[in-house]
Amino acid sequence: MKQSYKLAAAAAVALLMASAAAQAGPYTDDLSKCLVSSTSEQQKAVLVEWVFAIAALHPSVKPLSSVSDAKRTDLNKSVANLFTTLLTDSCRKQTQDAVKYEGAAAIQTSFALLGQVAMTDLFSNPDVSQGL
């Protein structure tokens, strides 16, 4: 029973984060693979923190979080630096090919997959799983 809740939660997050993934072509797939393989576990953790800090702005959950504006700004900078490094250094060739042959949406789709992977890591944490 616990496993089904975990899978449902992971599926919900994946659907929310990757609506564009269904249209991925081969160059977008290559970019997605590069983004995922080039992002360390620590960087994925920062990505999860960033998603949480942004989601915590929603009025329904804002009272449950104490993410400061300064922390949110730091996370924004960290994620912007990560995205820049991934697109211009680590996955430069894949980015160029994906945009050239499949358009700018390839970037959105590829980062959605990276977000899915990071969120899967979040939901697979034993503490989070127990809470589910």
Side-chain angles (χ1 to χ4, degrees):
M1 190 72 151
K2 284 184 181 182
Q3 186 68 13
S4 63
Y5 287 121
K6 200 180 341 179
L7 290 174
V13 170
L15 288 173
L16 290 173
M17 294 190 69
S19 60
Q23 300 298 324
Y27 295 99
T28 300
D29 289 345
D30 288 345
L31 176 57
S32 298
K33 290 174 191 173
C34 184
L35 294 177
V36 171
S37 67
S38 299
T39 305
S40 70
E41 293 304 313
Q42 181 180 6
Q43 290 169 322
K44 288 175 191 166
V46 170
L47 188 55
V48 168
E49 289 179 29
W50 176 73
V51 169
F52 177 84
I54 299 304
L57 292 170
H58 191 282
S60 295
V61 295
K62 193 170 187 172
L64 302 174
S65 174
S66 61
V67 179
S68 70
D69 289 341
K71 178 63 175 176
R72 193 172 291 106
T73 297
D74 287 345
L75 287 168
N76 283 337
K77 289 177 184 177
S78 294
V79 169
N81 287 334
L82 171 61
F83 286 5
T84 300
T85 299
L86 289 170
L87 292 173
T88 62
D89 293 331
S90 307
C91 303
R92 181 183 184 105
K93 174 76 170 121
Q94 293 87 343
T95 300
Q96 290 172 335
D97 288 346
V99 171
K100 179 178 179 180
Y101 296 112
E102 297 174 357
I107 293 173
Q108 177 186 355
T109 301
S110 297
F111 275 107
L113 180 66
L114 177 59
Q116 284 180 31
V117 170
M119 296 308 285
T120 299
D121 290 349
L122 171 74
F123 281 100
S124 66
N125 176 278
D127 295 333
V128 175
S129 295
Q130 185 175 354
L132 288 172

